[in-house]
């Protein structure tokens, strides 16, 4: 049984890396860095939610420096703007500009459609099972990492 678990784990890890590579290749095709893809994705996906740099750090698992650098680059391109939040002195909302929204429709929307199209090729039951099992395995994996680290692990990206 342990041999089979090891083989399944290896295959799952390779699948996760394959998925990362697909997103990376798409970003390169669009002329965007990986963090830029995910920042624009997050801003375009949910226009109702106000996002800050801290939100992007916790959502996309990039270091603060990477998010800060990428946000500044996107501001310089005129694709996003920063607005001071009234409740927090040092937090700024990150918002798409009109040009940023146009870029997202050109570059991010096709990515989202590809994701959705790939899921639509599965049955409803398969989609629900995939989501349920992925969450379950990730929760168990996080618990196992917590056991090893004693809860002291930090994001090292």
């Amino acid at each position: 049984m342990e041999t089979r678990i090891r083989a399944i784990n290896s295959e799952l890890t390779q699948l996760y890396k394959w998925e990362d590579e697909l997103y990376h290749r798409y970003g390169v095709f669009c002329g965007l860095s990986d963090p830029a893809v995910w920042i624009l994705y997050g801003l375009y996906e949910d226009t109702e939610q106000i996002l800050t740099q801290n939100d992007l750090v916790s959502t996309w698992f990039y270091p603060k420096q990477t998010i800060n650098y990428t946000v500044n680059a996107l501001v310089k391109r005129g694709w996003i703007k920063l607005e001071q939040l009234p409740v927090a002195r040092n937090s700024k909302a990150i918002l798409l500009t009109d040009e940023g929204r146009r870029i997202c429709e050109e570059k991010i929307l096709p990515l989202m459609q590809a994701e959705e199209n790939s899921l639509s090729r599965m049955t409803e039951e398969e989609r629900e099972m995939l989501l349920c099992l992925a969450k379950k395995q990730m929760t168990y994996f996080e618990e196992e990492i917590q056991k090893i680290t004693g809860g002291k692990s930090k994001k090292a990206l």
Side-chain angles (χ1 to χ4, degrees), residues 24-134:
H24 175 73
R25 273 194 264 159
Y26 184 80
V28 169
F29 170 78
C30 292
L32 298 170
S33 68
D34 293 0
V37 167
W38 292 115
I39 289 171
L40 292 171
Y41 188 109
L43 293 171
Y44 187 71
E45 180 181 46
D46 189 358
T47 56
E48 300 299 313
Q49 185 178 350
I50 294 173
L51 295 175
T52 66
Q53 288 193 33
N54 285 337
D55 295 327
L56 295 173
V57 167
S58 62
T59 300
W60 299 116
F61 302 98
Y62 285 107
K64 287 181 183 182
Q65 300 89 334
T66 301
I67 294 295
N68 184 268
Y69 176 84
T70 307
V71 164
N72 287 331
L74 294 172
V75 167
K76 286 178 186 170
R77 285 184 167 184
W79 296 354
I80 63 174
K81 62 184 176 181
L82 304 175
E83 286 187 5
Q84 188 67 48
L85 290 173
V87 292
R89 244 179 17 140
N90 57 351
S91 282
K92 294 180 182 176
I94 302 170
L95 305 167
L96 287 171
T97 62
D98 289 340
E99 177 65 7
R101 199 169 311 343
R102 187 190 70 71
I103 290 296
C104 285
E105 287 169 3
E106 178 187 312
K107 298 178 185 286
I108 303 302
L109 182 58
L111 176 64
M112 292 174 161
Q113 289 170 332
E115 292 170 325
E116 291 169 9
N117 289 345
S118 70
L119 286 169
S120 73
R121 294 167 71 178
M122 303 169 101
T123 67
E124 178 66 27
E125 184 180 353
E126 288 171 331
R127 288 189 296 267
E128 292 300 323
M129 187 182 305
L130 174 65
L131 182 60
C132 180
L133 293 174

